[in-house]
Amino acid sequence: MSKTLKDQKKASSKINSLGKQIWKYKALYLMLVLPFLQLILFKYKPMLGTVVAFKKYNIFKGMWDSPWVGFTYFKEAFASTTFWTAVKNTLVLNIGDLIVGFPIPIFLAILLYEVSSKKVRSITQLVTYLPHFLSWVIIGGIITQVFSSAGMVNTLLKNLGLSQIDFLSNPQSWRIVYWISGIWQGAGYSLIIYLAALTGVDTSLYEASYLDGAGRWRRIWHITIPQIRPTITTMLIMSLGKVMAISFDRPYMLGNALVKDTSEVISTYVYSVGLGAGRFDFAAAIGLFQSIIGVIMILSVNKIVKKLGEEGIL
């Protein structure tokens, strides 16, 4: 029997086996249809819109009939001082978020895991998780009420005879308020993820370490942290992948004219040139550049993590 015929029979056998498996678990595969369609329609189909970044978009001609302009808008963006200011601000705010905000949920999760009182754990989880449900419109209002020149903090400082601080009009102070607000709003969500990872830790390891005389800190260092290290790695990769991506709501709601040089990030810049000036093509080019950098960051960090012996996400 020739090699080609053998290969054909082997391929045919694999297809038949796959068909039998699909038929056997048809109910499970049917359940995949709707999520798969949702993914195609709302995640992959909109990617076709990135073609606008390479066209002189005319709203009357539409996306496909507008003339091609190549990399014109990318060159224009790279030559713009405002664009690079937005990139710098995005990196500073996101890296600050990562350095300040990333370890806190891990610390809280380990701390709560060590707390024996279920009531204390439940209340702490509830208090830290509730801000996640608030929109940045509400949080922006709360932050303004607390940190404005006539807000709670400055009123307290004034009553104590201390000098007031321009939290929202000084660029350095504004960045600190921005990072604190991010921790307050997002720490609870990450905390739930780490707590879920901790529930999977084998308790026999703790029992064995207790019999060996290991103290609490030693158990945390040698059992708890290594057990949740894959989750920490995954969260870190996801966070680093977003280092060039930044939400619109947070900098827009917390920013003001006095700190615009600090609060102007890529998302607000895209909003001002895209919707504000009606330059959808230019805004699409900036958005595409941002996405490409995000993908490169995820792939790079994932590769580094794998070389360090972790599993990675891809």
Side-chain angles (χ1 to χ4, degrees), residues 22-59:
I22 291 174
W23 180 253
K24 184 178 179 182
Y25 300 105
K26 53 185 178 295
L28 294 176
Y29 283 104
L30 275 174
M31 289 171 69
L32 277 176
V33 172
L34 281 178
F36 194 65
L37 283 175
Q38 189 266 347
L39 196 68
I40 291 173
L41 290 175
F42 298 105
K43 298 294 181 184
Y44 283 94
K45 189 183 173 187
M47 288 184 189
L48 294 173
T50 55
V51 74
V52 172
F54 304 97
K55 291 194 164 197
K56 186 174 178 57
Y57 181 65
N58 186 314
I59 194 170

Side-chain angles (χ1 to χ4, degrees), residues 94-157:
N94 279 345
I95 291 172
D97 263 342
L98 196 65
I99 294 171
V100 178
F102 186 78
I104 288 180
I106 301 170
F107 175 75
L108 280 174
I110 294 172
L111 190 68
L112 284 182
Y113 190 67
E114 293 293 324
V115 172
S116 55
S117 171
K118 287 185 179 178
K119 194 172 182 181
V120 172
R121 292 174 63 177
S122 301
I123 292 172
T124 308
Q125 285 180 54
L126 183 66
V127 170
T128 53
Y129 193 53
L130 272 181
H132 178 71
F133 295 101
L134 299 177
S135 74
W136 279 105
V137 177
I138 298 171
I139 293 176
I142 294 172
I143 294 292
T144 304
Q145 291 296 319
V146 173
F147 291 103
S148 67
S149 56
M152 290 169 56
V153 176
N154 273 321
T155 303
L156 180 64
L157 292 174

Side-chain angles (χ1 to χ4, degrees), residues 194-254:
Y194 290 120
L195 281 176
L198 283 170
T199 57
V201 178
D202 188 357
T203 54
S204 64
L205 294 174
Y206 290 108
E207 293 167 4
S209 66
Y210 182 77
L211 292 174
D212 288 342
R216 174 165 292 179
W217 292 109
R218 194 172 288 274
R219 289 201 299 272
I220 290 173
W221 185 254
H222 291 289
I223 299 175
T224 307
I225 293 177
Q227 288 294 313
I228 62 170
R229 195 167 59 194
T231 306
I232 295 173
T233 305
T234 302
M235 296 291 283
L236 182 63
I237 292 172
M238 299 300 289
S239 299
L240 285 170
K242 295 175 186 173
V243 76
M244 273 291 286
I246 191 165
S247 67
F248 171 77
D249 301 354
R250 188 170 158 205
Y252 184 77
M253 294 309 302
L254 299 180

